[in-house]
Amino acid sequence: MGKPTFYITTPIYYPSDNLHIGHAYTTVAADTVARFKRLTGHDVWFLTGSDEHGQKIERMARANNQEPQAYVDKIVAGFKELWSKLDVEYSDFIRTSEDRHKKVVSEIFARLYEQGDIYKATYEGLYCTPCEAFWTERQLVEGNCPDCNRGVELLQEESYFFRQSKYADRLLEYIDQHPGFIQPVSRRNEVVSFIKMGLEDLCVSRTTFDWGIKVPFDPKHVIYVWVDALTNYISALGYGTENDELFRRYWPADIHLVGKDIVRFHCIIWPILLMAAGIDLPKRVIGHGWLLMESGKMSKSKGNVIDPLVLIDKYGVDAIRYYLLRELPFGADGYYSEDNLVFRTNVDLANDLGNLLSRTTAMINKYFDGRIPQPGSATALDQELIDLALQTPAEVERLVDAFELSNALVAIGRLVARANKYIEETSPWTMAKDPDEHDQLATVMYNLAESYRMATVMLTAFMPGFPARVWAQLGISDRSDLHTWESLTWGRIPPGTEISRGQPLFPRIETEKK
Ligand code: MSP
């Protein structure tokens, strides 16, 4: 039997500007789940990319005296650089301006037209140009676009429409029969009540700009950005082409990870498009919360945008990943603050995690000449630590599967804290004074090294950078079999292993540095 497959996606980002720390959160979270699934024996495909078409991007390019393609090429290169600096290991990066994508979108559009699910009509409506969306009078907020709060204009257009309304009941039934489809429940309820208010057919073409995928049989029209963008999840797998091996292997997606603002697109337009095209629906759409600033949403106009590259240079990638994953509870919003980032790094990483390794290696050096000793029999206190180390992996796996990444870190943190407390409780420095307690001291040292190994394996997906340094200090760099999920049973680290003390894993951040 082959490994079970697991396909996870991020939203594809608009290359209208550089990405900020909020975008980094989404991608780091998806990367963590992807890494975790690889670690736990899955055959993983992890897709990210860029959503390059539309009027807004066309305008920005022109304002910069550039062709749209040249303009987005440069920004997308920056995306890739950011992901690499954040240790994001994607399987593929799809750009909507690539031919492989455009072909699939055109083919589906033409097919839906032929089967009558897309039709042409004249449309008159209130249009918000920056958001590229039509609104009804009722949806406006004080006469302005409900999304961006800017003015709208009355526009009359000949357009193509997608018969969304026809599929509303089927979608409701699907959501009802698949309780895990939209998570968390609060988002699911929002989507359900939105559909119940009545779905109108969706306008799926524009004639007001050029930069996009042309309607294949009517090239005056450009295909609506969301139909274009959503299709990336299958075009990247070669859907409908001769090379559709990836599609057959990985579709339907296990998780589409998206921010709360785009849940509706993913839970209404996307499933209906798939239904109409006769394609299976994704298994789960997870809508996460937002990373906010004290001053509200991050935006260029407010001048409160946090550049992840600056933070990585200052604090290191593991600390940034840890902070993002630890800070946002599943589904809820969180507030970004550099003070908190420093606090978390100092308390959780420098004090708890980092110090535990320094203390352990220092004591093994001092009491056992730098070799991990052979443990003796376990007391009740030893057993308590061992039991926690043995229970934690299953707990972490359950939490990651539920997308509770922050709680998964809390669970691993509990083991680290328990080990730190175990040092206080066993008081090795007292044992060391009494030759009768030599065996007991050996047991304590062994248990500390082994729990540390286990905690590190569990943290690998969250912070991929630091484990190599732990393996070096514990003397097991060349024992990759001890870095695996399968190795999370007790007693694997061999007695006699020579440790080597190293630099602190996470130096404390002095407040002046900040
Ligand atoms: N291009 C569309 C997505 C198409 S997917 C088929 C888009 N792009 S985006 O660049 O505007 O946003 C991408 C993702 O970043 C969204 O999921 C959005 O929620 C997320 N975030 C943007 N700002 C964010 C925060 N401040 N915090 C967390 N996530 C945020 O929408």
Side-chain angles (χ1 to χ4, degrees):
M1 265 269 289
K3 296 175 176 178
T5 59
F6 187 84
Y7 178 30
I8 181 165
T9 66
T10 71
I12 49 173
Y13 299 92
Y14 291 129
S16 46
D17 214 332
N18 293 333
L19 298 177
H20 58 58
I21 193 81
H23 303 114
Y25 167 73
T26 314
T27 301
V28 164
D31 179 66
T32 300
V33 175
R35 284 175 180 274
F36 192 87
K37 287 288 169 182
R38 278 184 216 120
L39 190 66
T40 52
H42 295 76
D43 165 5
V44 173
W45 198 255
F46 168 28
L47 179 70
T48 188
S50 49
D51 184 0
E52 306 188 359
H53 294 131
Q55 189 162 28
K56 192 172 161 190
I57 288 172
E58 186 179 78
R59 281 188 181 164
M60 289 184 87
R62 304 274 178 232
N64 281 279
N65 283 325
Q66 279 183 311
E67 284 305 311
Q69 189 67 58
Y71 177 77
V72 296
D73 282 353
K74 194 161 153 262
I75 297 189
V76 170
F79 287 7
K80 291 185 177 172
E81 188 199 334
L82 173 62
W83 300 148
S84 133
K85 289 210 164 144
L86 275 170
D87 279 342
V88 167
E89 217 173 62
Y90 49 79
S91 316
D92 192 6
F93 189 107
I94 180 92
R95 301 184 56 180
T96 55
S97 62
E98 288 175 275
D99 276 345
R100 61 167 174 157
H101 173 74
K102 293 196 270 192
K103 275 190 196 140
V104 176
V105 174
S106 305
E107 186 278 321
I108 293 180
F109 197 95
R111 186 143 51 89
L112 296 184
Y113 180 71
E114 274 154 33
Q115 75 187 40
D117 276 333
I118 285 177
Y119 61 93
K120 197 175 189 176
T122 301
Y123 186 77
E124 193 183 82
L126 299 158
Y127 188 68
C128 172
T129 308
C131 297
E132 293 165 22
F134 278 104
W135 302 104
T136 61
E137 197 87 46
R138 193 164 54 101
Q139 288 170 316
L140 300 183
V141 176
E142 292 172 1
N144 288 328
C145 168
D147 269 0
C148 74
N149 208 21
R150 279 175 279 212
V152 293
E153 48 192 327
L154 189 67
L155 218 70
Q156 203 184 43
E157 239 191 353
E158 185 185 62
S159 292
Y160 287 90
F161 286 83
F162 174 48
R163 264 185 230 288
Q164 254 197 156
S165 52
K166 175 176 146 190
Y167 292 90
D169 290 341
R170 251 177 82 184
L171 180 58
L172 279 175
E173 194 179 298
Y174 184 87
I175 295 173
D176 189 51
Q177 285 168 2
H178 299 81
F181 177 49
I182 307 169
Q183 290 179 1
V185 175
S186 52
R187 303 269 168 257
R188 175 173 187 261
N189 295 342
E190 260 170 48
V191 170
V192 169
S193 46
F194 189 85
I195 304 173
K196 284 189 173 157
M197 276 171 10
L199 287 187
E200 288 170 20
D201 287 350
L202 180 72
C203 177
V204 288
S205 76
R206 301 284 187 270
T207 49
T208 44
F209 63 93
D210 252 1
W211 174 237
I213 304 173
K214 305 273 185 304
V215 170
F217 46 86
D218 193 354
K220 182 164 88 151
H221 291 259
V222 166
I223 297 173
Y224 173 52
V225 272
W226 275 98
V227 171
D228 170 351
L230 290 161
T231 306
N232 90 87
Y233 301 129
I234 56 173
S235 68
L237 301 180
Y239 167 77
T241 69
E242 275 173 17
N243 267 330
D244 68 349
E245 193 215 315
L246 291 174
F247 178 78
R248 281 187 279 121
R249 179 146 140 209
Y250 293 110
W251 192 259
D254 292 85
I255 296 182
H256 286 320
L257 180 64
V258 300
K260 60 180 184 178
D261 52 319
I262 58 173
V263 164
R264 258 186 224 169
F265 297 97
H266 284 81
C267 297
I268 300 176
I269 303 181
W270 181 227
I272 292 184
L273 265 177
L274 291 168
M275 279 176 180
I279 303 170
D280 287 342
L281 267 49
K283 294 182 202 157
R284 266 208 287 177
V285 177
I286 295 183
H288 65 69
W290 272 43
L291 193 61
L292 300 170
M293 303 295 290
E294 291 287 347
S295 46
K297 223 168 127 172
M298 247 175 263
S299 79
K300 218 177 177 183
S301 54
K302 280 193 193 146
N304 63 356
V305 173
I306 303 291
D307 180 353
L309 288 173
V310 174
L311 293 180
I312 297 168
D313 281 347
K314 222 160 143 186
Y315 303 119
V317 54
D318 280 341
I320 305 305
R321 286 179 65 117
Y322 181 82
Y323 169 74
L324 291 172
L325 297 167
R326 177 68 183 77
E327 203 59 26
L328 258 80
F330 180 36
D333 290 340
Y335 282 90
Y336 171 81
S337 101
E338 196 164 343
D339 285 344
N340 257 344
L341 166 57
V342 169
F343 176 80
R344 286 260 179 242
T345 308
N346 282 346
V347 173
D348 296 3
L349 300 182
N351 284 6
D352 291 357
L353 189 61
N355 267 349
L356 180 59
L357 184 66
S358 312
R359 294 167 92 187
T360 302
T361 52
M363 290 189 292
I364 292 176
N365 244 358
K366 189 162 167 198
Y367 305 136
F368 292 94
D369 275 341
R371 284 189 187 275
I372 298 173
Q374 174 79 43
S377 56
T379 63
L381 195 59
D382 300 327
Q383 199 56 46
E384 216 184 281
L385 177 70
I386 297 173
D387 288 345
L388 186 64
L390 285 173
Q391 285 154 16
T392 307
E395 173 72 352
V396 170
E397 200 165 359
R398 182 184 71 74
L399 291 165
V400 173
D401 281 341
F403 202 74
E404 296 191 30
L405 303 180
S406 173
N407 286 335
L409 285 172
V410 171
I412 306 169
R414 226 174 270 136
L415 174 61
V416 172
R418 187 70 197 84
N420 272 314
K421 193 163 153 232
Y422 174 75
I423 299 180
E424 307 310 321
E425 288 168 344
T426 53
S427 178
W429 41 91
T430 318
M431 287 179 173
K433 289 183 192 136
D434 182 352
D436 286 349
E437 291 194 32
H438 184 266
D439 281 2
Q440 194 45 43
L441 180 64
T443 308
V444 171
M445 292 304 117
Y446 185 89
N447 292 352
L448 286 171
E450 182 64 339
S451 341
Y452 207 88
R453 181 187 69 83
M454 292 177 69
T456 305
V457 170
M458 288 185 259
L459 285 169
T460 308
F462 300 83
M463 294 185 282
F466 88 103
R469 289 185 290 142
V470 174
W471 306 146
Q473 294 200 32
L474 289 180
I476 52 171
S477 295
D478 54 357
R479 289 292 307 270
S480 53
D481 59 314
L482 299 180
H483 314 163
T484 64
W485 197 260
E486 293 73 42
S487 77
L488 295 180
T489 54
W490 190 260
R492 295 291 298 275
I493 197 162
T497 302
E498 192 172 352
I499 59 143
S500 104
R501 291 200 67 194
Q503 295 296 315
L505 284 183
F506 298 99
R508 268 188 79 81
I509 300 164
E510 299 310 330
T511 336
E512 301 88 81
K513 182 168 173 201
K514 186 210 139 213

